[in-house]
Amino acid sequence: GIQVEQSPPDLILQEGANSTLRCNFSDSVNNLQWFHQNPWGQLINLFYIPSGTKQNGRLSATTVATERYSLLYISSSQTTDSGVYFCAVLGYSTLTFGKGTMLLVSP
Amino acid sequence: NAGVTQTPKFQVLKTGQSMTLQCAQDMNHNSMYWYRQDPGMGLRLIYYSASEGTTDKGEVPNGYNVSRLNKREFSLRLESAAPSQTSVYFCASSESWTATEAFFGQGTRLTVV
């Protein structure tokens, strides 16, 4: 099956800093999603982005499908951005998750 | 719109007991999924139902059974719970199993003692 690798595994930021999270995948994909899992365990949809670039407020994402990677940008980070960020890709039939990037934003 | 609703939110079982986790979606989606999340492992697919009337095994199906009761509901059953099944379980749905956005429920935290 498809392999999904996320980096870095952990990230600590000061409030106001910017960051880039990366997702590499091993094969062609039909779909790619970014999720934020908040400290209460809820999975929040951030982006559905099989290709191209999207922006939503301070967050943006870019997927380069031909090179098999996606990037999630967080600008002017806030403490509420803390949590785990997951990349998930759809290969033939099911969504496969990476192991996530744990982000801690300190005040 | 509630989206994807899971019940219960928390459950403690004794080894060998059985239980069913319920999931319902109100988005008229065709495909539904059950995942488990363990520390450091991300989410792993247990079973999925690409459409009403079909179910298929995912990455970690052993010890589980599923039922796609109708288009809205997809249940996960543990026949004889084991401590290794202690996990957080997530149900999800999508319009189809190809190239559409998936939405997740709030999760069920299960502890088997």
Side-chain angles (χ1 to χ4, degrees):
Chain A
I2 289 181
Q3 305 300 312
V4 181
E5 292 187 2
Q6 292 186 241
S7 60
D10 303 282
L11 188 58
I12 299 174
L13 297 175
Q14 201 76 12
E15 200 168 22
N18 303 327
S19 61
T20 301
L21 281 58
R22 187 177 180 99
C23 173
N24 292 332
F25 42 95
S26 62
D27 206 343
S28 301
V29 297
N30 295 308
N31 174 15
L32 187 145
Q33 291 186 240
W34 282 98
F35 296 90
H36 175 216
Q37 188 168 41
N38 63 23
W40 296 270
Q42 187 181 6
L43 278 168
I44 299 164
N45 288 38
L46 295 178
F47 293 102
Y48 167 67
I49 185 166
S51 64
T53 297
K54 290 186 177 180
Q55 180 152 9
N56 184 4
R58 296 181 295 104
L59 274 62
S60 64
T62 295
T63 297
V64 184
T66 54
E67 297 186 22
R68 299 180 184 170
Y69 73 89
S70 183
L71 302 174
L72 177 69
Y73 305 96
I74 304 174
S75 64
S76 303
S77 58
Q78 301 176 357
T79 56
T80 52
D81 294 332
S82 295
V84 183
Y85 290 80
F86 287 105
C87 165
V89 302
L90 177 67
Y92 175 66
S93 63
T94 59
L95 209 57
T96 300
F97 280 75
K99 293 185 178 180
T101 293
M102 182 172 291
L103 174 64
L104 177 62
V105 181
S106 58
Chain B
N1 258 1
V4 180
T5 302
Q6 294 181 229
T7 55
K9 290 186 173 58
F10 302 93
Q11 183 72 48
V12 178
L13 288 179
K14 294 182 178 179
T15 298
Q17 286 185 320
S18 62
M19 79 161 295
T20 300
L21 280 64
Q22 307 286 355
C23 175
Q25 50 91 9
D26 62 4
M27 297 174 281
N28 200 35
H29 284 170
N30 291 299
S31 302
M32 297 185 73
Y33 314 85
W34 277 105
Y35 286 85
R36 62 178 286 173
Q37 184 179 23
D38 302 298
M41 298 292 291
L43 276 76
R44 293 181 293 168
L45 183 67
I46 304 171
Y47 270 93
Y48 68 101
S49 171
S51 60
E52 187 179 357
T54 69
T55 60
D56 286 286
K57 295 178 181 179
E59 182 183 353
V60 288
N62 291 345
Y64 305 96
N65 286 303
V66 290
S67 294
R68 184 74 183 266
L69 304 171
N70 48 54
K71 190 172 185 179
R72 290 186 63 249
E73 298 172 290
F74 188 39
S75 63
L76 178 71
R77 183 161 179 83
L78 287 70
E79 291 291 351
S80 179
S84 61
Q85 295 177 304
T86 293
S87 189
V88 180
Y89 291 85
F90 286 95
C91 177
S93 71
S94 62
E95 187 175 329
S96 77
W97 56 272
T98 57
T100 58
E101 189 173 5
F103 296 87
F104 283 75
Q106 77 275 28
T108 295
R109 188 173 295 274
L110 175 67
T111 302
V112 183
V113 298

